Amino acid sequence: MVRTSARGRAETAEAATPEAVTEAFVQQLGHDPVGVWAAPGRVNLIGEHTDYNDGFVMPFALAEQVVVAAAPREDGRWGVRSLNRRQTVTFGPQDLVPGRVEGWAAYVAGVVWALAEAGHTVQGADLVLTSDVPVGAGLSSSAALECAVLTALVDLSGLEVAPLDRARIARRCENAYVGAPTGLLDQAASTLCEADNALFLDCRSADHRQVPLDLSSVGLELLVLDTKTPHSHVTSEYGDRRRTCDEAAKILGVAALRDVSLDDLDDALSRLPDDVMRRRVRHVVTEDARVLEAVEVADDGRLADLAPLLDASHTSMRDDFEITVPTVDLAVETARAAGAHGARMTGGGFGGCIIALVPVGSADEVGRAVAAAFDEAGYGAPAWFLGVPSAGARRLV
Ligand code: ADP
Ligand code: MG
């Protein structure tokens, strides 16, 4: 798999390689690691705010990843160095209580804690990691960190943990140790994805399967563009959307909005008390339907037909769910005007990244068009790269 070839000008992250962490490990600890593991960030192709409504999502893993070199240590403690943060944090068994380790190392201590909570005995270890997943851009650098560390610790400790359980344990770390109320999407993608495929995940049953996503077979590639918009109010807006969806499900007498079908939608909308709630529900129900259609399209190899689904998803997020912001809308519109076949915001909203389906070889041109439009509008420079469907968490060395 060719790694990202179309980096935007503003993208400065160096590729995260096994060599980088191995060299740093030897320098810091004076001996070789016993192995190197990796887990990727992800992009959600389609299916936004459907996960907590028990619905469907379709992410794929990026080539951008967290890479971690590790070896056992004999004092039963854990030491972790992030080369990106230039910081080492050490913690012991007494710190395996939510809230005890804070900051970025909480994502590491939380993995040890969640493994222990699930009944596993985790080997003390030294870990040195680096990452080229943009942080805070909605590409799930946090799940990449959790899943890379978890994969390393599972192997080092000689544990048997099924893939879906790994994703669930990493999610528990994020929900209960770090304190971020996210769905299973990020950790499932980082753990379960395979190269050249997207993952179709039913967030109610956790049933999942690979869906072929060889965009080059239809002359397309996928541009990921980070608007670099700072997420403001994202937590409160997220909570607000969740509450409205829960309330609507109660009024409609269903367990979750996933239980409202497209055929039932008009009837369901007529039973809701206000316009905002009606639009929120319409987004979730139509977005679930779009994921199912995207899976069908990909199964049939008609990948060019993803374009109108991406466009419709964006319109729905902008007008019905109201989670886009001006920078994101401008990026989507400019990408389309510059030749993208379909484009949408990806991720939870209020900033972050857009994805655009573009003809092979034109990602940089589209990225540059968005950069020019941002410049003209007085926004900061975006960064962009090719989203290449890549492998999930695994041992590299
Ligand atoms: P996202 O997952 O969208 O990138 P989050 O806010 O969920 O954003 O997670 C970002 C956090 O994950 C960072 O603030 C940091 O605490 C942690 N993190 C991610 N990558 C690294 C890294 N390479 N080194 C240390 N911490 C990291
Ligand atoms: Mg995250």
Side-chain angles (χ1 to χ4, degrees), residues 21-22 75 101 127 131 241 247 270 273 307 347 351 365 376 395 397:
V21 284
T22 300
D75 62 358
V101 176
L127 308 146
S131 172
R241 297 302 182 283
E247 260 173 55
S270 72
E365 196 183 317
E376 198 164 313
R395 186 170 187 156
V397 178

Side-chain angles (χ1 to χ4, degrees), residues 96-119:
L96 301 182
V97 178
R100 199 66 68 83
V101 176
E102 293 182 323
W104 67 267
Y107 293 89
V108 180
V111 165
V112 179
W113 169 80
L115 274 167
E117 285 275 293

